[in-house]
Amino acid sequence: MTVRELADSGLFEVVNLGDQPDREITKVFCCDLLSIAMGRAPEGGAWVTVMANMNTLAVASLTDTACVILAEGCSLDENAAVKAKEQEITVMRTEQPVFEAALQIENRLRGYASQL
């Protein structure tokens, strides 16, 4: 599944569609501790977190994350939203809990979308 396919799925609100919408998502990653995410976020991953700040964007860029999904109703502040656009990082958001958001992505990666 590509970033664009996830963005177009209607599962999440698209905050910013970055510069690589046709990039394949490799796996789902959930973490709210930036120091752990910095060392363990998979390249090409869809990172689900509640950490909605500039540091999250920096770690997403550093780890070459395909997209960030902000869960639990979290939103980027105005400065972070501008930074996401400047750095062309794909950011989406949802009211869903982290686990449920990640499970929906995982199900789509495994081809279970039609069963949802």
Side-chain angles (χ1 to χ4, degrees):
M1 172 176 60
T2 66
V3 171
R4 182 183 310 280
E5 289 170 337
L6 181 59
D8 290 346
S9 72
L11 293 174
F12 310 118
E13 174 188 340
V14 177
V15 176
N16 184 64
L17 188 60
D19 64 344
Q20 297 182 1
D22 297 320
R23 183 172 186 190
E24 286 290 324
I25 295 173
T26 58
K27 61 179 7 182
V28 182
F29 178 72
C30 301
C31 186
D32 294 324
L33 190 57
L34 296 177
S35 60
I36 289 177
M38 201 176 325
R40 297 186 183 167
E43 182 179 327
W47 178 15
V48 184
T49 183
V50 297
M51 299 297 295
N53 59 44
M54 294 276 221
N55 293 334
T56 301
L57 299 175
V59 172
S61 180
L62 176 73
T63 59
D64 201 20
T65 297
C67 58
V68 175
I69 295 89
L70 302 174
E72 307 276 353
C74 294
S75 298
L76 295 175
D77 64 32
E78 189 175 323
N79 290 334
V82 168
K83 185 59 95 176
K85 287 180 185 186
E86 288 175 356
Q87 294 187 345
E88 299 181 329
I89 297 171
T90 297
V91 179
M92 299 176 224
R93 64 174 304 281
T94 183
E95 296 293 325
Q96 298 174 21
V98 169
F99 176 79
E100 290 178 16
L103 183 59
Q104 287 193 354
I105 298 166
E106 182 65 22
N107 284 340
R108 289 199 175 249
L109 286 174
R110 292 179 182 251
Y112 301 142
S114 62
Q115 298 175 11
L116 296 177

